[in-house]
Amino acid sequence: MAVSREGVTPQSEDFSAWYNELVVQAQLVDRGPVRGTMVIRPYGYRVWELLQADLDRRIKDAGHDNACFPMLIPESYLKREAEHVEGFSPELAVVTHAGGKELDEPLVMRPTSETVIGEYMAKWIDSHRDLPLLLNQWANVVRWEMRPRLFLRTTEFLWQEGHTAHIDEDDAMRETMWALDAYAGVSQELAAMPVVAGEKTPGERFAGAVRTYTIEVMMRDGRALQSGTSHYLGTNFAKAFEIQYQDEAGKLTLAHTTSWGMSTRMIGGVIMTHGDDKGLVLPPRLAPYQVVIVPIGRKEQGEEAAAEARRLGAAIKSMGIRVHVDDNRPQLSPGFKYNEWEMRGVPVRIELGKRDIEAGVGTLVRRLPTVEGQGKEQIPLEKLPELLPGILADFQSFLLARAEKFRDDHTAAVDGWDAFTAQVATGWARAFHCGDTACEDDIKAETAATPRVIPADAPEETGECVKCGRPSEYGKRVIFGRAY
């Protein structure tokens, strides 16, 4: 297998190998000591912190409160909602011994928190005046993963999980759709990942949910990534945990609940939506360093360039830009540093040598040219700080538009089975489906494709199921694709 000079396998040769090599070489993550676990390194964790801060602001602005619930959940809690425990049973990690003896009741490492939070909702809710109850938790969860992939599918990962209780279905559905819109906003505005939002088919619903909604994003190998989900749980968990309230007439009524989550798999989505054979391509709003300044020169010239780089860095920082001056590794050549920062996806690099300083300019290099033929650009040093916010904003918009075009170019409406199988081999197919879960299973068995989403904004259409020929169920085409 050929390896590029930057040290990662080209995407065109082996996309999976490219990804697995890149996440490690770009210093985002390392493999953990237990199979399927990961150590998120500072550079990767900073990406998560930036995403987390924005989403946390949205959650709090909408009136939710953060809380923290235990990781260890009594096994009996999960068994109280039959569909829920059946759905998660293959992924559970269970503690049976502690303190040197066998436990009276096994404890489950939380795969999600509907059950434990439901237990406490029942304690905290008495009256209609206690509703809505809007909770959120930032936590780690454990789901035993048989085929792990760093960030995308790991035994332990980080996420937020919202859990809310409401007076009725209408209020709960407004919450469900609010969460979906918030996820779409984070994905598009921060990660520059264009989404298709809509509902999951019954066969793809969250275990225990009445309805599940999703945002789906296309990766650069044509596969789909489910990047955030929001679930209307109806009264299923309210019945199991007796989450009820006294209404205005004094009658005990079951609450309607929701849950919704977004996880560190978003980082994997950023990598696979934007990256190339040189490495990461980070959207400026999620880049730990939005600008890196590389001073050029040795000895006295190097010291002069480093001093000017630090002065320029301070001016850029004053504009609210995350900037790093790479001035403490004199043993490394400028070329090595250029390749390294390209590998790590920094949106803008500024090269600063003796000739640049004498000319009063800095050489600006974008990680990708936003205009065809655009290469290095020399900009007066005194103008750089004030120009950079616009340059970074343009780069952010460029990445979103590029990803949207790639998705649209690799999505097609198909009606015949042969056209369907050809389309899902490299992208997404918009096709009619009968709604039968067994038919979904047959499609997956033959093509590895699954129904990703019933798009909310798709036009109303009817036709025959692309697989079995029965009438379509959903009144519109469903997006099918292979997925992570």
Side-chain angles (χ1 to χ4, degrees):
M1 190 70 68
V3 177
S4 67
R5 65 187 178 89
E6 286 81 16
V8 290
T9 300
Q11 290 183 359
S12 59
E13 293 193 15
D14 190 330
F15 193 87
S16 180
W18 168 84
Y19 178 86
N20 292 336
E21 294 164 9
L22 178 56
V23 293
V24 173
Q25 293 196 37
Q27 300 177 31
L28 294 173
V29 69
D30 212 336
R31 300 186 187 281
V34 175
R35 184 180 182 275
T37 63
M38 62 180 173
V39 176
I40 305 176
R41 299 186 64 176
Y43 195 69
Y45 195 77
R46 182 59 178 142
V47 176
W48 176 241
E49 286 181 318
L50 290 164
L51 186 147
Q52 180 187 46
D54 185 90
L55 181 53
D56 193 63
R57 174 189 57 77
R58 295 172 192 253
I59 289 169
K60 288 174 179 171
D61 286 350
H64 304 78
D65 292 311
N66 283 340
C68 186
F69 291 82
M71 167 169 271
L72 294 173
I73 301 173
E75 188 179 52
S76 59
Y77 281 26
L78 271 75
K79 290 182 177 179
R80 284 160 68 178
E81 213 293 325
E83 187 178 345
H84 189 67
V85 69
E86 182 182 354
F88 277 100
S89 185
E91 301 176 325
L92 297 182
V94 183
V95 178
T96 58
H97 289 73
K101 63 179 183 179
E102 186 173 356
L103 298 174
D104 293 335
E105 179 182 357
L107 304 174
V108 173
M109 305 287 283
R110 66 171 164 236
T112 181
S113 298
E114 281 76 9
T115 57
V116 66
I117 292 179
E119 175 78 4
Y120 284 86
M121 281 182 168
K123 290 184 177 182
W124 298 342
I125 296 171
D126 293 312
S127 162
H128 64 91
R129 296 181 183 87
D130 298 323
L131 297 173
L133 179 59
L134 308 177
L135 300 174
N136 180 66
Q137 173 172 236
W138 292 95
N140 56 342
V141 294
V142 174
R143 298 179 183 177
W144 207 258
E145 188 60 57
M146 302 306 294
R147 292 179 294 278
R149 180 170 293 184
L150 294 169
F151 286 125
L152 300 175
R153 290 192 176 275
T154 50
T155 293
E156 182 183 8
F157 56 90
L158 305 179
W159 76 349
Q160 61 74 216
E161 47 179 323
H163 297 269
T164 67
H166 303 264
I167 284 178
D168 56 23
E169 178 178 347
D170 287 347
D171 198 47
M173 277 301 300
R174 280 192 291 271
E175 173 74 13
T176 302
M177 302 315 294
W178 170 84
L180 192 71
D181 288 344
Y183 292 155
V186 169
S187 180
Q188 296 182 151
E189 295 165 24
L190 260 73
M193 292 165 48
V195 307
V196 176
E199 189 172 359
K200 286 286 193 182
T201 64
E204 293 285 319
R205 280 182 194 145
F206 176 76
V210 175
R211 292 192 284 276
T212 287
Y213 296 85
T214 181
I215 55 170
E216 301 285 327
V217 184
M218 183 181 285
M219 306 293 98
R220 290 192 70 78
D221 63 348
R223 291 178 181 261
L225 187 74
Q226 177 181 289
S227 302
T229 51
S230 185
H231 317 288
Y232 168 59
L233 305 176
T235 57
N236 292 346
F237 286 86
K239 289 174 184 174
F241 291 89
E242 298 183 339
I243 307 170
Q244 52 191 354
Y245 65 93
Q246 192 173 54
D247 65 18
E248 293 186 32
K251 179 185 175 183
L252 278 179
T253 305
L254 290 171
H256 291 248
T257 64
T258 79
S259 67
W260 28 276
M262 178 176 276
S263 77
T264 40
R265 76 175 353 218
M266 276 288 289
I267 300 176
V270 170
I271 296 164
M272 293 192 295
T273 299
H274 303 301
D276 61 17
D277 289 350
K278 291 183 178 180
L280 300 178
V281 177
L282 293 177
R285 294 192 66 186
L286 281 185
Y289 302 134
Q290 296 168 310
V291 176
V292 166
I293 305 172
V294 180
I296 303 167
R298 296 184 178 277
K299 297 182 179 179
E300 293 83 2
Q301 290 184 4
E303 292 172 4
E304 180 185 356
E308 181 61 26
R310 289 190 290 270
R311 185 204 64 77
L312 178 61
I316 292 172
K317 185 178 180 180
S318 72
M319 300 297 295
I321 294 170
R322 295 184 294 276
V323 60
H324 174 68
V325 180
D326 191 351
D327 64 343
N328 62 350
R329 302 185 295 169
Q331 75 279 12
L332 299 178
S333 69
F336 181 94
K337 293 179 180 180
Y338 300 162
N339 289 337
E340 179 184 35
W341 292 118
E342 284 188 338
M343 168 75 76
R344 301 182 75 182
V346 172
V348 171
R349 182 178 77 242
I350 297 173
E351 303 167 5
L352 196 59
K354 182 175 184 296
R355 291 181 181 177
D356 296 306
I357 295 171
E358 289 174 347
V361 300
T363 301
L364 183 142
V365 184
R366 294 168 179 82
R367 178 58 179 79
L368 291 173
T370 54
V371 176
E372 188 175 350
Q374 183 186 62
K376 292 186 176 183
E377 182 179 357
Q378 291 194 324
I379 299 176
L381 290 172
E382 69 274 10
K383 290 187 178 181
L384 261 173
E386 64 186 59
L387 291 176
L388 278 169
I391 290 171
L392 292 169
D394 288 346
F395 191 70
Q396 182 86 22
S397 299
F398 164 77
L399 290 181
L400 178 62
R402 185 181 79 136
E404 190 170 38
K405 182 179 186 303
F406 181 88
R407 181 199 64 198
D408 293 346
D409 288 347
H410 291 79
T411 303
V414 297
D415 293 309
W417 180 247
D418 289 343
F420 179 89
T421 57
Q423 180 61 31
V424 297
T426 58
W428 292 355
R430 294 174 53 246
F432 294 116
H433 189 254
C434 63
D436 187 345
T437 301
C439 186
E440 289 181 11
D441 293 341
D442 290 343
I443 291 172
K444 183 176 181 179
E446 291 191 39
T447 67
T450 55
R452 304 312 310 156
V453 62
I454 307 165
D457 61 355
E460 293 185 3
E461 293 181 82
T462 57
E464 295 180 347
C465 176
V466 72
K467 176 60 177 171
C468 68
R470 287 178 286 178
S472 59
E473 171 68 14
Y474 304 109
K476 57 179 64 176
R477 292 178 185 267
V478 178
I479 289 181
F480 282 81
R482 298 171 302 148
Y484 284 98

